[in-house]
Amino acid sequence: MKQRIFVIDDEVPICELLTKFFSKRGYEVSTAHSAEAARVQLADQSFDLTILDVLLPDTDGLVFLESIKRMHPNMPIVIMTGIGFDEELLQESIQKGASGYISKTLPLDQLLMEVHRILKPVR
Amino acid sequence: MREGASPRGTASAPMPSRADLREREVKLEAIKSSLGRLAHDFNSGLVPILGYLSMIRSDLGTETSVEEYLEAMERSARNNVQMAELILLATRPQRKFSATTFDLEQQIGETVTEFLATQPGIAMALELNPATIKSDKSQWKQLVTELLKNACEASPEGVELRIRLRIRPTVAGEAGELGMPETPNILELTVSDQGTGIPNEAEQSRIFEPFYTTRQAQLHKGLGLTVVHGIVRLNRGQVVASNNELKGFRMNILLPFELLKAN
């Protein structure tokens, strides 16, 4: 069975890119463009990993991270940011339960490595 | 110590007051926030381009979807160009200013008709009077479109927007107060909505700042009123925003009519 990745990002082109990228690499991908839309999917579906943008239109990504952790305590969450690397943000993400942290502008292969580090690929 | 600086404790220049400093900090914070937003939006446009490039690279030699990736890259790049154009129009409208003489009443009417075709649920009450001016016609179209978009987003569905264009005598001292050249008559364009208005005065004074928005943050939001302000200032006018007496918000564009005729 395919591993399921959930991408939460308000920017549609980025969701499309990640969907194409991970689908081609054997994952099943779902997306949501706001915390509210994500909450609906998280209420009745389970995912193997979530990639969460820190800047969401309707809430702070890190606040939402805590909320997701309450709903799915064991699901790993990778924080993604388009505003560059920030030590403070990294520490806060880890403290709130994030399993990884990646900058949007890094090559996709690094995101894939991060996903592989957290989710052992299914053979 | 820096060359020429006074040693601590010897006053060589008056210290800025606390209020001045606070005002400076607020301004700086606003500018930093705008620049951060700008960098974020530019990055967001570049991420898909970089991503699809890396996918093309890894796909070459195997089964490829190059065409599809190139299309997505082009869409993303065009989106960024569109944003850059909007920022340039807001900050340097003179870059593309090309004046012709045209009938502003007709131009507004046409822009409203075009706008309504994309927003069919909107009702508009027009009160337009004749006004022939010499200015950049396409910039006026953009200005009116941005005012309409702003008013529509503020108004609940099914409510009427009001648009008025008139030429009226200048009130004594009015031009000076508005930072406009002296002029016997003012050309006034008013767009009024029926939304909740902006009760907070501090927020009201920030609505023309780039990327400032009182609505949900979305890509390219918060530039429309900066564009309006840029075009109006280029035409040596002023834009005044205020709450309506009863309900909603009003944008008043005031321009020195005689100068606009002779541009």
Side-chain angles (χ1 to χ4, degrees), chain A residues 11 17 20 24-25 55 82, chain B residues 40 43-44 52 59 68-69:
Chain A
E11 282 146 31
L17 167 71
K20 288 191 178 96
K24 233 173 156 27
R25 280 150 187 83
L55 282 181
Chain B
H40 173 267
N43 265 353
S44 298
Y52 288 114
D59 270 10
E68 190 191 345
Y69 299 163

Side-chain angles (χ1 to χ4, degrees), chain B residues 4 6 41 43 58 90 104 109 121 135 143 157 161 205 218 223 225 248:
Chain B
S6 306
D41 284 2
N43 265 353
S58 66
L104 183 59
S135 186
L143 180 152
E157 268 179 53
L161 302 183
S205 69
Q218 281 170 21
L223 279 172
L225 292 182

Side-chain angles (χ1 to χ4, degrees), chain A residues 10-11 13-14 16-18 20-21 24-25 53 55-58 82-84 104-105 107-109, chain B residues 36 39-41 43-44 47-48 50-52 54-55 58-59 63 65 68-69 72 75 216-217 219:
Chain A
D10 60 323
E11 282 146 31
I14 291 178
E16 285 175 358
L17 167 71
L18 295 183
K20 288 191 178 96
F21 180 75
K24 233 173 156 27
R25 280 150 187 83
D53 184 17
L55 282 181
L56 291 174
D58 49 352
I83 48 179
K104 279 187 194 177
T105 48
L108 284 176
D109 287 344
Chain B
H40 173 267
D41 284 2
N43 265 353
S44 298
V47 168
L50 293 169
Y52 288 114
S54 77
M55 284 168 78
S58 66
D59 270 10
E63 171 260 330
S65 320
E68 190 191 345
Y69 299 163
R75 266 203 311 274
Q216 203 176 70
L219 204 62

Side-chain angles (χ1 to χ4, degrees), chain B residues 61-74:
Chain B
T62 64
E63 171 260 330
T64 70
S65 320
V66 172
E67 192 63 36
E68 190 191 345
Y69 299 163
L70 288 176
E71 261 176 40
M73 283 165 61
E74 192 178 355

